[in-house]
């Protein structure tokens, strides 16, 4: 399935070193699930809102950026009936996440390599009783990559590891 998420981001420079940021987003898709010979398609939607506070400490060509953030996610799957006539009720989950940690980067002009480590604390609930949690109550997050910036363009290439998963991330955008 494919989907789309729209998420405006806003940042406010409090002082030379402190930055506050806000983001909210919504999105959706029409995923198809296959279990054995049974398939079913439903509607999926997500809403999230995030707020963060970051400090910036520069020492020579190194930048240390401690950060704290809080994010709320609401994910919803509509009810559907599968190809084997099995009814699957609607499901809505809520995730509240607090994230504490820091990133260290090296200023190499256009490209800045970085490493980061965070601790994540999760609170999770679901509309259907006996739904197993989709996240750990607490987990770590480690990341290594390169941030790049030139004029109005920016981007990140990174590899991220969490407690039981890993992913490759690629971001890009325009500043205005």
């Amino acid at each position: 399935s494919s989907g789309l998420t729209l998420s405006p981001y806003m940042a406010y420079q409090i002082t030379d070193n402190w930055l506050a940021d806000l983001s909210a987003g919504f999105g959706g898709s029409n995923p198809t699930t296959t279990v054995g010979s049974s398939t079913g398609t439903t509607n999926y939607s997500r809403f999230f809102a995030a707020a963060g506070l970051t400090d910036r400490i520069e020492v020579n060509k190194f930048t240390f950026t401690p950060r704290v953030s809080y994010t709320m996610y609401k994910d919803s799957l509509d009810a559907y009936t599968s190809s084997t006539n099995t009814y699957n009720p609607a499901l809505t989950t809520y995730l509240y996440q607090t994230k504490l940690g820091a990133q260290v980067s090296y200023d190499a002009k256009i490209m800045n390599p970085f490493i980061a480590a965070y601790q994540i604390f999760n609170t999770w609930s679901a509309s259907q009783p006996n739904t197993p949690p989709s996240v750990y109550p607490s987990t770590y997050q480690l990341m290594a990559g390169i941030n790049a910036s030139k004029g109005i363009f920016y981007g990140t290439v990174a590899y991220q590891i969490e407690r039981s998963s890993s992913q490759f991330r690629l971001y890009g955008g325009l500043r205005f």
Side-chain angles (χ1 to χ4, degrees):
S1 94
S2 62
L4 177 67
T5 299
L6 298 174
S7 174
Y9 171 81
M10 180 176 48
Y12 176 72
Q13 195 76 40
I14 300 168
T15 68
D16 286 346
N17 295 337
W18 286 93
L19 177 80
D21 61 273
L22 298 169
S23 181
F26 62 92
S29 65
N30 300 99
T32 298
T33 303
T34 302
V35 178
S37 62
S38 176
T39 62
T41 300
T42 186
N43 293 314
Y44 165 78
S45 64
R46 167 174 267 196
F47 170 78
F48 70 90
L53 185 62
T54 305
D55 188 12
R56 182 178 176 92
I57 302 162
E58 295 182 9
V59 178
N60 297 319
K61 289 189 168 229
F62 290 93
T63 303
F64 178 67
T65 52
R67 176 169 172 76
V68 61
S69 65
Y70 183 78
T71 307
M72 184 282 286
Y73 301 90
K74 177 185 176 188
D75 293 298
S76 299
L77 283 170
D78 289 349
Y80 68 97
T81 301
S82 71
S83 61
T84 56
N85 213 25
T86 302
Y87 177 73
N88 295 278
L91 176 66
T92 298
T93 62
Y94 295 90
L95 173 61
Y96 303 93
Q97 187 175 79
T98 301
K99 186 174 176 181
L100 303 164
Q103 175 178 297
V104 176
S105 63
Y106 179 77
D107 183 5
K109 301 290 179 202
I110 293 174
M111 293 188 201
N112 299 323
F114 69 89
I115 57 170
Y118 298 95
Q119 185 66 38
I120 301 171
F121 303 95
N122 296 308
T123 302
W124 185 89
S125 65
S127 62
Q128 291 295 323
N130 302 318
T131 302
S134 64
V135 294
Y136 292 102
S138 178
T139 187
Y140 61 86
Q141 182 183 69
L142 304 173
M143 203 177 327
I146 297 173
N147 290 321
S149 179
K150 179 133 175 102
I152 64 169
F153 302 102
Y154 69 91
T156 298
V157 175
Y159 184 71
Q160 176 179 308
I161 300 169
E162 290 185 24
R163 188 172 179 174
S164 62
S165 67
S166 63
Q167 60 185 304
F168 175 75
R169 293 181 159 212
L170 178 63
Y171 297 99
L174 300 171
R175 287 191 185 90
F176 53 93

